[in-house]
């Protein structure tokens, strides 16, 4: 008779051999605004009770124009409603936004996005920096020169303004994706001054930033 591996016996890797206690502790998922809005509050609550703990929501922007450009299927009001339904159902909401999503209209984009996040009040927020992808509407517009990507300095300035205007407390903030010029991670409000200081150092040239060749997936 051949060896019977633990996963064929109902045991829980990596605590095998002999473990019979289920090892799954948390289930997370990505949520789209459209699919969230199509569910009732009770349907969302039932998913939470069934063990779904955290939902990641690609908010991308607080600008209606950007949300149309990246084809999210909702405007800023719809995105806000989706986020509020997620938190009302008891989920741990992790929102993601795109620095540079409105190109050189950077200040307006930061302010609109900060306002949406302040209204949505997620527990976690990640700020990624937009990188063009061919075959998408915005990526093809960038390739044609119709959409201007941010320079490193502009991306840092937009990140700083977004961070400065965030009022959600407590908030776990990260900007350490491969696309970002400067890795940032901390809690608000306690780390806000430190994170702003790091951005100021990068803008003044005292703090090094990631070379272009190192950005990407």
């Amino acid at each position: 008779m051949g060896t019977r591996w633990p996963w064929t016996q109902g045991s829980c890797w990596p605590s095998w051999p002999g473990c019979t206690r289920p090892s799954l502790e948390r289930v997370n998922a990505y949520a789209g605004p459209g699919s969230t809005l199509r569910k009732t509050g009770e349907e969302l609550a039932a998913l939470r009770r069934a063990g779904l703990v955290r939902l990641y929501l690609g908010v991308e922007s607080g600008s209606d124009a950007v949300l149309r450009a990246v084809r999210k299927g909702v405007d800023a009001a719809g995105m806000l409603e989706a986020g509020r339904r997620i938190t009302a159902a008891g989920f741990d909401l992790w929102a993601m936004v795109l620095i540079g999503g409105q190109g050189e209209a950077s200040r307006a984009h930061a302010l609109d996005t900060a306002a949406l996040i302040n209204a949505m009040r997620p527990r976690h927020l990640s700020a990624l920096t937009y990188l063009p992808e061919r075959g998408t509407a915005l990526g093809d517009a960038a390739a044609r020169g119709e959409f201007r990507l941010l320079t490193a300095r502009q991306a840092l300035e937009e990140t700083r303004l977004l961070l400065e205007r965030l009022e959600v407390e407590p908030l776990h903030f990260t900007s350490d994706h491969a696309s970002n010029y400067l890795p940032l991670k901390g809690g608000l409000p306690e780390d806000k001054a430190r994170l702003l200081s790091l951005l100021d150092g990068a803008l003044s040239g005292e703090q090094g930033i990631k070379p272009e060749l190192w950005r990407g997936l």
Side-chain angles (χ1 to χ4, degrees):
M1 183 175 177
T3 301
R4 296 185 65 196
W5 296 103
W7 52 81
T8 67
Q9 301 173 22
S11 57
C12 53
W13 184 89
S15 302
W16 52 276
C19 175
T20 57
R21 178 180 58 83
S23 60
L24 183 62
E25 296 180 356
R26 174 180 291 183
V27 178
N28 303 326
Y30 285 93
S35 59
T36 299
L37 294 174
R38 285 192 293 271
K39 290 180 172 56
T40 66
E42 177 51 36
E43 287 172 330
L44 289 170
L47 288 171
R48 178 64 188 90
R49 291 194 300 269
L52 186 56
V53 175
R54 175 181 293 167
L55 290 178
Y56 294 86
L57 180 64
V59 173
E60 321 304 6
S61 174
S63 161
D64 288 344
V66 175
L67 292 172
R68 284 194 302 271
V70 298
R71 300 183 179 180
K72 295 300 292 189
V74 294
D75 58 11
M79 186 67 76
L80 175 58
E81 178 62 20
R84 284 176 166 170
R85 289 193 188 188
I86 288 170
T87 55
F91 291 104
D92 182 26
L93 173 59
W94 192 311
M96 296 167 287
V97 297
L98 278 179
I99 299 297
Q102 202 166 354
E104 292 183 317
S106 189
R107 179 175 177 81
H109 188 242
L111 294 175
D112 287 344
T113 303
L116 178 58
I117 294 301
N118 288 337
M120 187 178 293
R121 308 196 69 78
R123 179 63 184 85
H124 313 268
L125 175 66
S126 287
L128 294 72
T129 304
Y130 174 70
L131 290 170
E133 182 70 25
R134 288 187 180 273
T136 64
L138 203 56
D140 290 345
R144 294 191 300 267
E146 299 168 3
F147 179 83
R148 298 287 296 274
L149 299 176
L150 296 187
T151 64
R153 181 174 187 84
Q154 288 171 326
L156 292 169
E157 288 173 341
E158 183 172 326
T159 304
R160 192 192 190 288
L161 183 56
L162 170 70
L163 179 59
E164 178 186 297
R165 295 302 177 98
L166 289 175
E167 299 173 353
V168 183
E169 298 178 4
L171 179 68
H172 170 228
F173 177 83
T174 64
S175 185
D176 56 356
H177 186 259
S179 62
N180 296 123
Y181 287 99
L182 181 69
L184 300 169
K185 180 183 291 187
L188 303 187
E190 64 272 17
D191 293 321
K192 189 171 189 175
R194 175 180 63 82
L195 297 176
L196 290 172
S197 179
L198 288 171
L199 285 161
D200 288 338
L203 287 166
S204 69
E206 297 177 5
Q207 167 75 44
I209 63 174
K210 188 183 300 181
E212 289 291 343
L213 289 176
W214 292 5
R215 296 176 63 233
L217 300 178

